[in-house]
Amino acid sequence: MVLNQSILTLKGVGAQVAAKLNRLQIYTLKDMIEHYPREYEDRRKITPISECVMNEHNNILAAIVSKPQITKKAGKIIVSFRVKDETGSIYIVFYGQAYMKNNFEVGEQYLFYGKIKHKYAKIEMESPEYEKVAVPNQIEQIAKITPIYNATYKLSQKVIRGLIEKSLDLCMPFIIDYLPQSIRKEYQLVDKKNAVMNIHFPQNSEAFFEARKRLVFEELFMLQLALYSLKSDFSKKTLGIAYKIPDTLSLFLDKLPYELTNAQKYVLNEIMEDMKNKMAMNRLVQGDVGSGKTVIAAIALFLALQNDHQAALMAPTEVLAIQHYEFLRELMLPFKIEVGLLTGSTTKKQKLEIIEGLRKEKIKLIIGTHALIEDHIEIPKLGLVITDEQHRFGVRQRLKLSEKGLTPDVIVMTATPIPRTLALILYGDMDISIINELPPGRQPIKTNAVDSAYHTRIYRFIEKEVLSGRQCYIICPMVEDNDTNSDLQNVLDYSEHLKTEIFPTLTIDYLHGKMKPKEKNEIMRRFAAGITHILVSTTVVEVGVNVPNATIMLIENAERFGLAQLHQLRGRVGRGTHKSYCILVSDSKNKVTKKRLKIMEETTDGFVIAETDLKLRGPGEFFGTKQHGLPEMKIANLYTDAKVLKEVQKCVKKILALDPDLESSENEILYDEIKQRLSKEELHHAL
Ligand code: ADP
Ligand code: MG
């Protein structure tokens, strides 16, 4: 298949060029033609030299009037020559490219595109792009809307453009249109070949917009269809369990150490309505960090258990699972409900006991990590499944747990604020509840973005807080020193440095993902118990951990983290009644980075942060996709293409309603492609 051929089969691509293309994630001809332009320049308009705008890019059509000369300035080779049109003349200059001298002949006509500058008392165009114009009427073919691609070091636009042109020539006959004719017609989408051609080399702006619309539609369509086919019964509500609200509920609520916030009551009510209903619940509970989701989960679990069903709560990390286990065991104790814990470090013997207990319905509530979804674990009367911090799990894993019951109610909880568009893609089939209020008495977290010159002051501040009884997290991006990232802080060296040089009298521990589960648990236990003053860690503490006495979150190399991640990390403090602080240290001079860190200073609203992150980083960046386990978008922009997404979802639902298994002949191509995508490793993992 031509599309899957390696780029090495292209003329002009050797090992070196291939390596550079690989850095752009381009390996095959298909990758090449799906490397869509980042932007376009309208080079149809030719500017007379006398009207060129200084310090801007101009497009001129000019003849060479002087022989290219080589000179040297400050040790740098410069090739220059003069060109003119009817209105004037300028110099064309190339720096450090001696071979350019032999590329140009007096009398030849060229289209030059580049920035015009005033330099050394001359007007010159620096290192322009150029295209020879041999015959006068050839100009229309050369002066075009020109695509600009994401390039990489020493791979010029001209080279990429040439390779894409070649790939398009080879691939065009083999491009397959996945979208059935009827959909193309209904949504007025141009055909695939036309779209691919015009996205790279648009005939005019209208053709470009048509092409883009078509490709965005297709990209979102295929993703959505794949996701929906995975959750095969996405649209039908299935018959589930109609729970009764037990008399013991008020007793349970009375035992809680606090009163629920209004937002918690509201969401709890939505959940109880769903549970009473005979249809199976499928609900996403979104609540910012610290909004109190755990207790809502506890109440829902209690309801299911009092109805004589079993229930499961799955958490993404062992640390979090243990924390939930301790909290819930305590709450369930007065009601004589047996609670089990199952994680990666549960011993074989304990595990067998738990499996037996679950099978015999002796253990009613099971808390755990991924370990819960293993095949041999049976939960015969599973009536409610809750997944905490769901973004750490794939859809598949979540489904697998609920498949242990017949038609259990399902709640997934997340603190990751998901921009609306993404929520639509991922949870279009779920009802959504939002806890939009924090429990009372919380002190707002004060956030400061500073550079590393502030370290002395920061340490003095940490010392002050610790001496008044508080605790501190310090986050580093790396575990240990390594050659490629030696400029980044690492957990091992950092904690050693603190121990020996900064805080010799304080208790300092470190934590990272490479440690054994047992060690990690012990470290977390020490920190939660207040024994450790300072915990130096990687982002393993990012999700869910609750130590209300910790008041400082210091994040080193803050530029290395996504905003959503910084927000999660910050959420580890400000959980008690003491005033809390988040300090972001970064020496980055990058403008976007500075803006992103500034947002953190300005707001603690997770939704504002998520939307801003998506906007600042633009399409295809990892916040939008990778963090949620979705593949990167090639062309769709999850921020601006929300409208198309809505259309797509309607369309996908309609198709699946008419032909749930995509068996009709019209959907044959679609079926094959979806099947292939679902079987691919990458998507497999993502889903
Ligand atoms: P998250 O939503 O991030 O999972 P948690 O459930 O861990 O938040 O709750 C954060 C903290 O708030 C916990 O210490 C919890 O005991 C406390 N909390 C939860 N609900 C309330 C409430 N209604 N009033 C006071 N404190 C509460
Ligand atoms: Mg939580």
Side-chain angles (χ1 to χ4, degrees):
M1 183 64 176
V2 175
L3 286 158
N4 294 329
Q5 260 174 33
S6 157
I7 41 170
L8 283 162
T9 60
L10 275 181
K11 233 175 111 188
V13 177
Q16 270 188 8
V17 174
K20 288 174 193 162
L21 289 169
N22 291 167
R23 283 171 64 170
L24 298 168
Q25 304 302 316
I26 300 173
Y27 300 91
T28 64
L29 297 193
K30 181 162 180 284
D31 297 337
M32 198 80 225
I33 63 174
E34 286 181 355
H35 188 63
Y36 299 130
R38 163 163 56 89
E39 57 187 342
Y40 301 83
E41 279 163 4
D42 192 348
R43 297 190 195 165
R44 285 172 301 181
K45 186 171 163 282
I46 294 166
T47 310
I49 288 179
S50 65
E51 291 172 25
C52 281
V53 184
M54 210 52 85
N55 294 318
E56 277 183 19
H57 279 77
N58 291 269
N59 201 26
I60 63 170
L61 177 65
I64 298 172
V65 290
S66 77
K67 220 170 132 50
Q69 300 278 335
I70 289 198
T71 51
K72 267 192 179 175
K73 251 195 190 100
K76 227 178 169 184
I77 288 177
I78 305 173
V79 174
S80 73
F81 52 89
R82 206 159 63 87
V83 301
K84 66 176 262 223
D85 67 7
E86 284 124 46
T87 68
S89 85
I90 57 168
Y91 282 87
I92 300 288
V93 194
F94 292 96
Y95 291 94
Q97 293 166 283
Y99 62 89
M100 283 294 180
K101 180 172 183 290
N102 305 318
N103 276 2
F104 301 93
E105 298 274 347
V106 173
E108 287 176 339
Q109 211 183 26
Y110 276 86
L111 200 60
F112 292 105
Y113 179 83
K115 203 178 207 176
I116 295 203
K117 282 191 178 163
H118 211 135
K119 220 170 180 181
Y120 310 120
K122 281 183 195 160
I123 296 182
E124 58 181 49
M125 184 181 268
E126 276 182 21
S127 308
E129 285 192 38
Y130 53 89
E131 196 92 41
K132 194 163 164 183
V133 182
V135 275
N137 61 8
Q138 202 191 1
I139 187 74
E140 273 105 65
Q141 281 158 33
I142 295 174
K144 289 184 197 165
I145 299 177
T146 308
I148 308 294
Y149 296 96
N150 270 337
T152 176
Y153 181 64
K154 287 216 168 145
L155 195 60
S156 72
Q157 289 295 327
K158 215 177 145 120
V159 170
I160 294 195
R161 214 177 293 143
L163 293 175
I164 286 191
E165 237 163 341
K166 271 186 214 158
S167 312
L168 282 173
D169 277 349
L170 287 169
C171 296
M172 203 40 84
F174 303 98
I175 287 178
I176 297 172
D177 206 330
Y178 303 125
L179 294 182
Q181 177 78 34
S182 60
I183 293 180
R184 284 202 321 257
K185 219 168 130 196
E186 185 175 346
Y187 293 89
Q188 297 179 357
L189 302 168
V190 297
D191 74 79
K192 179 82 174 265
K193 290 183 186 180
N194 178 320
V196 172
M197 204 61 211
N198 274 292
I199 201 70
H200 288 289
F201 303 105
Q203 300 260 297
N204 49 49
S205 38
E206 202 170 58
F208 160 73
F209 285 117
E210 292 294 329
R212 184 172 187 284
K213 179 179 169 196
R214 149 74 207 223
L215 294 172
V216 167
F217 191 100
E218 179 182 302
E219 184 168 42
L220 294 173
F221 179 89
M222 298 307 279
L223 177 64
Q224 194 68 80
L225 189 62
L227 272 165
Y228 278 178
S229 351
L230 204 71
K231 320 176 187 179
S232 53
D233 55 351
F234 75 100
S235 61
K236 307 173 243 155
K237 287 252 173 199
T238 33
L239 212 53
I241 304 154
Y243 290 100
K244 298 219 160 48
I245 305 299
D247 301 336
T248 42
L249 178 62
S250 55
L251 205 64
F252 188 79
L253 292 179
D254 282 347
K255 287 200 191 297
L256 294 177
Y258 39 70
E259 203 193 330
L260 296 183
T261 63
N262 283 332
Q264 282 171 322
K265 282 183 191 156
Y266 188 86
V267 170
L268 177 61
N269 211 37
E270 289 181 316
I271 290 175
M272 292 206 305
E273 285 307 314
D274 278 3
M275 289 183 78
K276 282 194 278 184
N277 194 301
K278 64 176 189 293
M279 293 299 166
M281 162 164 66
N282 193 17
R283 187 169 282 279
L284 172 72
V285 174
Q286 270 195 61
D288 214 338
V289 189
S291 60
K293 292 182 293 294
T294 318
V295 67
I296 297 298
I299 300 167
L301 292 167
F302 179 75
L303 289 179
L305 296 166
Q306 291 295 78
N307 277 266
D308 209 24
H309 278 276
Q310 287 173 296
L313 172 63
M314 182 161 70
T317 64
E318 180 157 7
V319 168
L320 194 52
I322 293 175
Q323 202 170 284
H324 284 335
Y325 170 71
E326 280 165 1
F327 175 64
L328 287 161
R329 193 184 43 181
E330 180 100 8
L331 282 177
M332 302 300 171
L333 200 64
F335 301 90
K336 309 233 166 1
I337 295 170
E338 190 164 334
V339 186
L341 173 69
L342 187 66
T343 70
S345 50
T346 307
T347 63
K348 237 185 180 152
K349 188 163 158 263
Q350 287 169 325
K351 194 168 164 183
L352 286 175
E353 272 169 31
I354 288 171
I355 290 178
E356 188 65 7
L358 281 170
R359 211 172 48 77
K360 290 202 166 136
E361 297 172 38
K362 200 163 87 51
I363 296 177
K364 300 286 184 198
L365 173 57
I366 182 75
I367 321 268
T369 55
H370 297 80
L372 286 182
I373 58 182
E374 286 170 23
D375 286 331
H376 55 279
I377 292 166
E378 295 167 42
I379 314 175
K381 268 204 120 178
L382 184 61
L384 174 65
V385 172
I386 303 185
T387 315
D388 191 19
E389 305 295 350
Q390 56 63 46
H391 68 284
R392 290 300 190 91
F393 296 103
V395 177
R396 249 177 225 281
Q397 290 174 319
R398 261 167 33 209
L399 289 177
K400 229 174 145 188
L401 183 54
S402 40
E403 278 160 8
K404 293 190 186 294
L406 221 45
T407 45
D409 278 3
V410 171
I411 298 177
V412 301
M413 305 197 296
T414 180
T416 311
I418 302 168
R420 238 193 22 231
T421 17
L422 263 183
L424 274 174
I425 293 184
L426 286 166
Y427 308 109
D429 61 327
M430 299 190 110
D431 298 311
I432 299 184
S433 292
I434 298 178
I435 308 182
N436 55 4
E437 176 188 5
L438 295 182
R442 295 277 170 80
Q443 300 258 11
I445 302 167
K446 181 152 176 43
T447 303
N448 276 315
V450 297
D451 60 33
S452 50
Y454 279 74
H455 271 128
T456 324
R457 284 170 63 180
I458 296 171
Y459 293 148
R460 228 181 293 145
F461 180 62
I462 291 178
E463 188 159 26
K464 205 181 99 208
E465 282 286 295
V466 169
L467 289 180
S468 62
R470 305 285 84 76
Q471 290 163 280
C472 168
Y473 294 98
I474 299 180
I475 307 297
C476 301
M478 310 296 290
V479 175
E480 57 201 332
D481 193 23
N482 81 17
D483 296 340
T484 39
N485 282 311
S486 57
D487 53 332
L488 298 177
Q489 300 283 11
N490 71 78
V491 168
L492 297 185
D493 290 341
Y494 200 106
S495 55
E496 191 56 32
H497 170 68
L498 288 189
K499 271 187 221 169
T500 53
E501 291 170 44
I502 313 287
F503 303 123
T505 58
L506 302 186
T507 312
I508 297 164
D509 269 350
Y510 63 81
L511 184 71
H512 58 74
K514 291 186 184 167
M515 291 162 79
K516 291 208 182 73
K518 253 213 172 100
E519 285 176 276
K520 276 194 278 192
N521 298 338
E522 175 57 14
I523 299 284
M524 254 346 272
R525 191 194 63 76
R526 282 162 56 89
F527 191 64
I531 299 167
T532 317
H533 299 123
I534 299 173
L535 181 62
V536 182
S537 171
T538 57
T539 54
V540 291
V541 295
E542 175 192 338
V543 282
V545 176
N546 190 31
V547 181
N549 190 47
T551 55
I552 297 179
M553 170 58 69
L554 167 59
I555 302 172
E556 297 286 351
N557 300 111
E559 74 280 359
R560 301 290 296 197
F561 303 98
L563 279 192
Q565 214 173 10
L566 290 177
H567 181 65
Q568 286 286 329
L569 287 167
R570 177 167 63 183
R572 295 312 107 215
V573 296
R575 304 191 138 237
T577 47
H578 305 288
K579 182 151 181 60
S580 293
Y581 306 85
C582 173
I583 305 163
L584 306 169
V585 181
S586 173
D587 289 328
S588 168
K589 300 270 182 290
N590 183 295
K591 266 204 196 115
V592 175
T593 304
K594 289 194 155 180
K595 248 197 211 153
R596 292 172 59 229
L597 297 183
K598 197 151 170 27
I599 295 293
M600 293 295 296
E601 285 185 327
E602 285 166 2
T603 180
T604 49
D605 182 328
F607 286 88
V608 174
I609 289 171
E611 295 277 345
T612 312
D613 203 20
L614 198 54
K615 220 184 321 187
L616 280 179
R617 293 209 197 190
E621 279 292 346
F622 89 91
F623 174 80
T625 52
K626 268 196 205 145
Q627 270 226 338
H628 298 281
L630 289 177
E632 295 225 4
M633 298 288 143
K634 292 216 160 72
I635 188 161
N637 177 332
L638 292 174
Y639 196 75
T640 53
D641 291 323
K643 238 171 92 188
V644 184
L645 179 64
K646 283 232 168 92
E647 272 189 328
V648 164
Q649 286 189 316
K650 262 205 330 236
C651 173
V652 170
K653 282 188 184 173
K654 208 163 102 188
I655 289 193
L656 288 178
L658 289 172
D659 182 11
D661 299 316
L662 300 176
E663 289 166 333
S664 74
S665 60
E666 201 196 22
N667 293 333
E668 203 180 319
I669 299 175
L670 207 50
Y671 175 81
D672 289 342
E673 177 63 16
I674 290 288
K675 213 170 85 184
Q676 213 182 54
R677 285 191 192 203
L678 288 177
S679 69
K680 263 197 199 134
E681 192 53 37
E682 169 202 11
L683 251 169
H684 216 78
H685 178 74
L687 298 170

